[in-house]
Amino acid sequence: MSFLALYRPNFCAECGDKIFRLRWPIWTNRRFCEDCSPKFRRVHWTRKLLAVAGVLALGFVVGRAIRRPAPPLVIQRNVVAPTPAEKENQPSTLVDDAYICGARTKKGTPCSRRVHGPVRCWQHKGLPAMVPLEKLKIKE
């Protein structure tokens, strides 16, 4: 028996008339004659679409159920405490002078980003400052 040898009824399930069809395409409703089939077309396609949606939903649920969980995020840092001799040999903390960029922004005001030294920030590199160098230094 081949795939195309599906059930072919002799009579309509709605009106009881004899069904005469030369071709039985896969999309035809096999229970009704050509006069009754437009009445049940919506129900026919709704059932097929619900069946397809059910199979897809079942596949989604099964796929989510058998998926392995993601490994936990572990951040490992090797922190070595300095020995007392190393603490003595370490230089004292350097005080780095903090400045602001001071270049003209699109708004017309000086840029207020902090920079290390009397230079411009990454966005205003190469532009001159609007205010004198004395006003660019931040006092902490």
Side-chain angles (χ1 to χ4, degrees):
M1 183 176 261
S2 71
F3 173 72
L4 296 176
L6 297 174
Y7 174 67
R8 294 180 183 175
N10 293 325
F11 299 98
C12 178
E14 178 68 16
C15 65
D17 288 342
K18 183 102 170 122
I19 298 177
F20 295 106
R21 285 202 181 122
L22 296 176
R23 292 187 205 145
W24 290 79
I26 195 76
W27 56 85
T28 60
N29 192 335
R30 300 183 179 280
R31 296 173 52 203
F32 306 110
C33 64
E34 291 180 7
D35 296 332
C36 296
S37 103
K39 297 178 200 172
F40 299 100
R41 186 171 287 140
R42 179 179 283 165
V43 174
H44 175 69
W45 286 108
T46 303
R47 285 181 185 164
K48 287 187 178 187
L49 289 175
L50 285 176
V52 169
V55 168
L56 288 175
L58 181 67
F60 179 76
V61 169
V62 168
R64 297 280 290 184
I66 64 174
R67 185 174 63 176
R68 287 184 282 179
L73 179 64
V74 177
I75 299 174
Q76 187 176 10
R77 293 188 178 115
N78 296 329
V79 178
V80 179
T83 62
E86 289 174 347
K87 284 183 182 178
E88 292 173 7
N89 293 337
Q90 286 182 351
S92 62
T93 58
L94 298 174
V95 178
D96 192 15
D97 293 335
Y99 291 84
I100 62 168
C101 172
R104 181 181 301 274
T105 61
K106 286 183 179 180
K107 199 174 182 181
T109 59
C111 176
S112 61
R113 286 194 182 112
R114 288 178 174 238
V115 292
H116 297 286
V119 293
R120 302 297 149 254
C121 66
W122 65 271
Q123 189 174 7
H124 301 111
K125 195 178 289 185
L127 295 176
M130 286 180 61
V131 292
L133 185 63
E134 298 83 34
K135 292 188 177 182
L136 294 177
K137 190 169 184 177
I138 300 173
K139 297 177 183 172
E140 295 179 359

